[in-house]
Amino acid sequence: MGQYLPEKINVKGESFRIYLTQEEIQQRIKQIGKQLSTKFQDKRPIFIGVLNGSYIFLADLMRYVNIPCEVDFMKLSSYGDEKVSSGQVHDLKQIDADIQDRHVIIVEDIVDTGLSMKYLVEKLKQHQPASLTVVTLLHKAESTQHDVQIDFTAFKIPNLFVLGYGLDFAQEGRNLGQIYIQTAGEDS
Ligand code: IMP
């Protein structure tokens, strides 16, 4: 049995179609992995994955990084089961590692309004890392309202809801092997 790659998908009454294929995603992540390997050569960076959405991206990205590195996780929640941000960020899990004087690479699934990333960067800066680099798989640039630092963006996307490849809609869809976009107003 192969991966879960339907052409179209319906989740909780909403329709989605393929937006980024497995091949497109892997090619782009490979490039970023290579750039990070060069940038952090001899620096033993620590990747901090933002749960839950980034777990698949992070797992693939780290396997394209060919230098010694570590990993830890944080968990934030701002969406609940809705498709729009609640406007509040909750801290659900802190990092365990001591990141003082370490080179930290934050790995996020998507930057939408930018609220979560702003919160995260400010929070991690308090630990006095040697450097802080932000990597996001997706960026909804049109909807970003907060002034956020993003160093590597795999894909800029329009302001529509997406799911798959780790991203969910009310906890569903994370197991899809590629990224799907809402067919708002399109014939589905
Ligand atoms: P922000 O704080 O508004 O930038 O939202 C960031 C978080 O909202 C991400 O980490 C995701 O968990 C979630 N999110 C934003 N847009 C989407 C989407 O289109 N699909 C799934 N989750 C999303």
Side-chain angles (χ1 to χ4, degrees):
M1 206 175 83
Q3 288 199 20
Y4 184 29
L5 306 166
E7 286 283 317
K8 292 177 179 177
I9 177 117
N10 207 285
V11 178
K12 304 210 181 271
E14 311 255 5
S15 309
F16 296 83
R17 63 165 170 84
I18 297 179
Y19 184 67
L20 294 166
T21 65
Q22 264 191 317
E23 202 184 359
E24 287 168 324
I25 297 168
Q26 292 301 317
Q27 267 185 13
R28 182 71 184 113
I29 295 179
K30 196 172 175 177
Q31 282 175 346
I32 296 178
K34 207 171 159 189
Q35 289 171 328
L36 291 174
S37 305
T38 306
K39 182 169 174 180
F40 292 101
Q41 185 82 49
D42 303 321
K43 297 213 160 74
R44 201 182 177 87
I46 177 161
F47 287 83
I48 298 190
V50 187
L51 294 171
N52 292 336
S54 76
Y55 75 109
I56 293 181
F57 173 43
L58 177 64
D60 281 345
L61 179 66
M62 277 192 79
R63 282 177 289 177
Y64 290 119
V65 169
N66 58 10
I67 54 166
C69 58
E70 296 175 28
V71 69
D72 199 355
F73 295 93
M74 267 192 85
K75 184 164 180 167
L76 298 182
S77 165
S78 68
Y79 264 44
D81 282 352
E82 304 303 321
K83 289 207 303 288
V84 286
S85 172
S86 65
Q88 280 180 343
V89 183
H90 304 286
D91 214 80
L92 300 176
K93 184 206 172 296
Q94 313 253 358
I95 47 168
D96 297 313
D98 179 2
I99 58 164
Q100 185 168 4
D101 300 324
R102 299 291 307 272
H103 294 277
V104 170
I105 303 172
I106 301 177
V107 180
E108 177 65 293
D109 56 350
I110 183 165
V111 176
D112 181 11
T113 63
L115 183 71
S116 310
M117 188 53 76
K118 189 163 188 257
Y119 174 87
L120 209 64
V121 167
E122 278 167 13
K123 181 131 195 150
L124 293 179
K125 271 187 179 161
Q126 290 170 5
H127 296 266
Q128 299 175 310
S131 70
L132 205 57
T133 297
V134 174
V135 182
T136 186
L137 175 64
L138 305 171
H139 183 201
K140 287 184 190 170
E142 286 163 34
S143 87
T144 304
Q145 301 152 17
H146 298 271
D147 186 19
V148 278
Q149 166 199 343
I150 306 177
D151 302 287
F152 295 86
T153 300
F155 301 98
K156 278 198 179 152
I157 65 165
N159 190 14
L160 286 171
F161 201 79
V162 289
L163 87 167
Y165 194 71
L167 289 102
D168 74 307
F169 173 27
Q171 299 308 322
E172 270 187 47
R174 296 193 197 275
N175 54 326
L176 290 157
Q178 43 204 357
I179 295 171
Y180 293 77
I181 197 157
Q182 191 168 22
T183 53
E186 284 178 32
D187 234 349
S188 54

